[in-house]
Amino acid sequence: MPSGTSINLFLVEGSPTGLVTAGIGQWTGQATVVPKAKVAKFSKRDEAQRPGVYVLVGPDPSREDRERVYVGEGELVLDRLKLHVREKDFWTRACVFTSSDGRLTKAHVKYLESRLIQVAEERGRAAMENGKASTLPALPEADRSDMDHFVERVLVLLPVLGFDFSRPRAEVLAAEADSTHPTFTYALPSKGATARAREVDGEFIVLKGSTASAKPANSWDTYQDLHKEMLADGVLVQDPDNADLYTFSRDYTFKSPSAAGSIVAASNVSGPAVWCVEGSAQPYRDWQDAKIEQSEAEASPQEQPEGEAQEV
């Protein structure tokens, strides 16, 4: 079982839409969330005058459902943010990482920048404003170890602060799933489509090789924009053996079982009712209920069997 992590959040202006700082335990790093409209407020803070690495995030102009990300660094992060306010239009928020002990140098933040660009590219959840990641700058072995640990802490904080581009991508989540993450199936014999999926870390992932109907129902009026994007991106490709089917060319993450089911059926469906645990007829919704009941039973104190003496 993974160990817990304590994260300290502080709403600088008393509002979740203002400046927010975050840290982890005794870690000397600090995250500061800076809305674009709050750069002037950020300029008055000590961390604005320190070396640091930062990410800019905003909607991708070419696709509304996807984020665009830029990773940068600076000896004075404020100078870089001021430049980006003038020259980069896409971003709405930044997350700045600095160190409270003043030990981050220019070489350190260049290393952190390259590592975070690598991570963002590998996880593939956002369009990158940067070019390809450069070779990691040379650092002494001890410094490199410290910076890799710094990146690990950054990757814990980013999703907590709402920067989801840093989360592992669907293929990794699905591959790392264990016995607590069963496979679900959705079969439509009348259409010949069969899909398999897993729910991991709150995401519903339809697996590569699943098939979906290529004949939409006349009444279908949900997730059609998503369907068009999946076709345009090559996620859904024409099945080579059946013109009435599409095949998933790769694992694909949906926000809900209903979204996944509607794409597979090309119709309006209730995902919790149609997805079933593989090898059984148990619907997703019953599986969820059983999980909750099991958790409640494990949390409840065990009743003492009758006739058995209690220790004091």
Side-chain angles (χ1 to χ4, degrees):
M1 180 71 69
S3 59
T5 299
S6 176
I7 293 175
N8 304 309
L9 292 176
F10 178 63
L11 308 182
V12 176
E13 300 171 80
S15 168
T17 59
L19 297 178
V20 177
T21 63
I24 299 176
Q26 300 303 309
W27 181 51
T28 59
Q30 177 179 302
T32 307
V33 178
V34 185
K36 191 174 187 178
K38 300 287 185 177
V39 171
K41 291 270 188 182
F42 176 67
S43 68
K44 301 175 183 178
R45 299 185 60 81
D46 291 343
E47 57 266 32
Q49 309 300 328
R50 296 172 185 161
V53 63
Y54 58 87
V55 295
L56 310 178
V57 176
D60 181 6
S62 62
R63 269 186 50 178
E64 293 182 359
D65 69 317
R66 183 173 62 181
E67 290 183 321
R68 182 170 288 272
V69 170
Y70 177 85
V71 181
E73 55 79 25
E75 287 189 273
L76 296 178
V77 288
L78 176 61
D79 290 346
R80 298 295 296 164
L81 289 189
K82 289 192 297 184
L83 181 66
H84 296 322
V85 168
R86 294 194 301 271
E87 297 184 353
K88 292 189 181 295
D89 185 55
F90 77 92
W91 66 286
T92 57
R93 295 191 307 154
C95 193
V96 178
F97 291 92
T98 55
S99 177
S100 61
D101 62 6
R103 294 181 62 187
L104 286 182
T105 67
K106 177 67 172 179
H108 291 147
V109 295
K110 288 290 291 182
Y111 183 92
L112 294 174
E113 177 192 43
S114 293
R115 284 284 290 114
L116 288 178
I117 293 173
Q118 286 181 348
V119 170
E121 289 175 345
E122 290 167 0
R123 301 195 171 178
R125 289 182 176 271
M128 292 300 295
E129 182 81 1
N130 300 79
K132 290 291 183 181
S134 59
T135 303
L136 289 176
L139 285 178
E141 183 178 17
D143 286 28
R144 189 168 64 249
S145 177
D146 287 345
M147 291 304 99
D148 287 339
H149 177 70
F150 197 101
V151 170
E152 290 174 4
R153 302 292 87 188
V154 167
L155 296 179
V156 170
L157 284 173
L158 280 171
V160 174
L161 296 171
F163 294 82
D164 286 339
F165 75 90
S166 61
R167 297 175 65 189
R169 60 185 178 179
E171 296 91 330
V172 175
L173 293 174
E176 292 180 350
D178 55 25
S179 60
T180 64
H181 304 88
T183 300
F184 298 94
T185 60
Y186 179 23
L188 297 96
S190 62
K191 297 185 176 184
T194 302
R196 302 173 72 244
R198 281 181 166 174
E199 185 179 66
V200 188
D201 197 22
E203 298 187 303
F204 201 81
I205 305 165
V206 175
L207 304 180
K208 177 181 177 180
S210 296
T211 53
S213 174
K215 287 190 170 183
N218 292 332
S219 59
W220 189 28
D221 60 4
T222 59
Y223 304 108
Q224 291 192 12
D225 288 343
L226 175 60
H227 189 259
K228 292 175 183 176
E229 289 169 1
M230 292 174 68
L231 288 170
D233 290 346
V235 178
L236 292 176
V237 297
Q238 186 67 57
D239 189 275
D241 302 318
N242 190 333
D244 293 336
L245 294 178
Y246 293 124
T247 297
F248 281 75
S249 65
R250 60 180 184 267
D251 293 353
Y252 190 82
T253 301
F254 291 89
K255 293 182 178 180
S256 69
S258 291
S262 295
I263 295 297
V264 170
S267 180
N268 301 328
V269 302
S270 171
V274 300
W275 290 97
C276 293
V277 176
E278 189 170 49
S280 79
Q282 184 185 37
Y284 172 91
R285 61 190 178 193
D286 292 351
W287 171 78
Q288 284 280 30
D289 290 343
K291 276 208 316 178
I292 294 171
E293 290 174 2
Q294 180 182 356
S295 180
E296 289 176 338
E298 291 172 351
S300 299
Q302 299 295 316
E303 293 185 5
Q304 186 72 28
E306 290 185 9
E308 190 171 304
Q310 297 188 16
E311 295 183 5
V312 294

